[in-house]
Amino acid sequence: MTLWLDFEGAGIVHAAADDSSAMPVASSLAPTSAVVPPFSAAEIAPKVTRPQAIVAIVDRVRTLLLPYDVDVVTTRPAAPPYTRILVGGTAAALGVSATEAGLANVDCGNSSDGDVAYDFAAAQTPDYGGVVGIANTAAHEAGHTFGLEHVDDPEDVMYAAAQPALMLPDLFALSFGGDGAYTSYGSPTGTRACTSSDPVDEPALLGCAVGNAPGGGDVTAPTVSFEPPAAPASSPVTLTASASDDVAVVRVEAYKNLELVASLTAPPYTFSVDAAPSERFYVTVEAIDAAGNRATTTHELVAATPAATDDGGTPPPADFAVVTPPPQTSSGCAVAATQPLAPAPWLLLFVVALALRASGRSSVPGSSARPRR
């Protein structure tokens, strides 16, 4: 199965059935005709380049789909069939709610060739998910085209409730699971179309719809760590990560909250983070290998309040200090996979901007939550 994440924009026209290879793209979700603009990283990840933002999105989707026989590409495949997700622009192009982050038909059992879906990346600034959210949206919409419906597990890629009470590190660890129950959110009929029992075994459904990944590949995740400052440090704070792999680490990424601030392809994996006085924030570092395995570690930091000055001069720079609890570490998505079901004509909408708990250390000042459709 080939999944084309198209970051270069395209014209789309309404059609009775999707055709991902047509020019312009034929889409049953298009109003009449429209244009999806190319992906722009200017507001999504301003501290890295556009290619670095794109590879961060693509490789996270690869990690989420690693257990399955899905080839994720960024250029037009040589020949159909393939699923195509247009990554860029906002929901305005299709005339749907401005709060939507993605749009797809549900193709039960992946029975139709040439599905077309949308990932409205321009609406997903770091406060609304950043490159992490865009990748989760792409995986979510791909899940719909492979026959998955919404479930009620907040740690599942296919979750669709309005206020998931997740801490920020959890957003780096979503997966296709087998513990969620079907939810009718987003269904015009309010009834399930692709499954008949709960919990929904997404790995089994994906294994049947697209196949399980061939055995024999690299399945060992890298290791990654970094030491936050043990004493207050001036802003910007400079951190260095350590990463290793049984084959090779191809990239280390650093995030402040959900903003990608560094993409490093060789050691030393050193990066800097800016913060305002008294700001509370997370720093997350991920190591990725060539096979798409990844490891993640997170520390929570707080910028100290500068001391007041006696002479009316400028206060000293903000300091940083580590805040308990200890770092949280995970090692990527391990998902595993039965049964094709009848196609469903209805569509589901998805917003990936997950809400954070409004109090305590799980909140991120300045972040905003959007409702899911």
Side-chain angles (χ1 to χ4, degrees):
M1 178 70 209
T2 300
L3 174 63
W4 176 16
L5 300 183
D6 184 355
F7 292 85
E8 303 311 319
I12 54 176
V13 295
H14 177 74
D18 290 353
D19 185 347
S20 58
S21 63
M23 296 185 289
V25 181
S27 170
S28 60
L29 299 175
T32 50
S33 62
V35 174
V36 175
F39 169 79
S40 172
E43 295 184 5
I44 305 301
K47 291 182 172 59
V48 300
T49 66
R50 180 178 186 266
Q52 288 172 331
I54 289 174
V55 76
I57 295 166
V58 173
D59 276 357
R60 186 171 300 279
V61 175
R62 286 188 176 128
T63 298
L64 289 166
L65 293 171
L66 198 58
Y68 311 106
D69 192 11
V70 178
D71 184 20
V72 183
V73 302
T74 57
T75 58
R76 180 182 290 273
Y82 48 82
T83 294
R84 183 174 182 176
I85 299 181
L86 294 165
V87 185
T90 68
L94 295 186
V96 297
S97 168
T99 64
E100 306 306 333
L103 183 64
N105 284 310
V106 175
D107 182 8
C108 295
N110 193 31
S111 60
S112 299
D113 293 337
D115 288 318
V116 176
Y118 302 88
D119 186 345
F120 303 122
Q124 298 176 71
T125 58
D127 282 349
Y128 291 90
V131 298
V132 178
I134 294 168
N136 287 340
T137 298
H140 179 104
E141 303 308 338
H144 284 325
T145 69
F146 300 153
L148 299 183
E149 299 171 274
H150 287 154
V151 296
D152 63 359
D153 178 2
E155 296 182 352
D156 196 296
V157 171
M158 303 308 297
Y159 184 56
Q163 293 290 334
L166 294 176
M167 294 174 64
L168 185 142
D170 297 328
L171 305 185
F172 288 85
L174 302 185
S175 65
F176 293 103
D179 298 326
Y182 165 81
T183 174
S184 62
Y185 187 90
S187 165
T189 64
T191 58
R192 65 202 311 160
C194 298
T195 59
S196 59
S197 62
D198 293 321
V200 178
D201 191 344
E202 291 173 350
L205 294 171
L206 286 171
C208 186
V210 301
N212 293 316
D218 176 16
V219 295
T220 303
T223 61
V224 65
S225 64
F226 73 97
E227 289 297 327
S234 298
S235 176
V237 63
T238 299
L239 302 167
T240 299
S242 298
S244 62
D245 186 64
D246 61 333
V247 179
V249 172
V250 297
R251 194 173 65 262
V252 167
E253 295 173 352
Y255 294 81
K256 177 193 176 185
N257 295 330
L258 293 172
E259 180 183 356
L260 178 63
V261 297
S263 179
L264 308 164
T265 56
Y269 302 116
T270 300
F271 59 96
S272 296
V273 178
D274 298 315
S278 304
E279 181 181 3
R280 302 171 67 89
F281 60 97
Y282 287 98
V283 172
T284 298
V285 177
E286 296 193 298
I288 304 100
D289 68 15
N293 303 298
R294 72 176 59 220
T296 306
T297 186
T298 299
H299 286 275
E300 188 181 13
L301 305 181
V302 62
T305 303
T309 58
D310 295 334
D311 56 3
T314 303
D319 290 333
F320 291 79
V322 180
V323 180
T324 54
Q328 302 184 21
T329 306
S330 63
S331 57
C333 304
V335 244
T338 239
Q339 271 165 309
L341 304 127
W346 51 276
L347 61 87
L348 296 177
L349 307 174
F350 174 62
V351 170
V352 80
L354 297 176
L356 303 172
R357 285 180 180 151
S359 62
R361 61 184 181 83
S362 60
S363 65
V364 177
S367 68
S368 302
R370 290 184 173 187
R372 293 178 185 262
R373 280 283 305 274

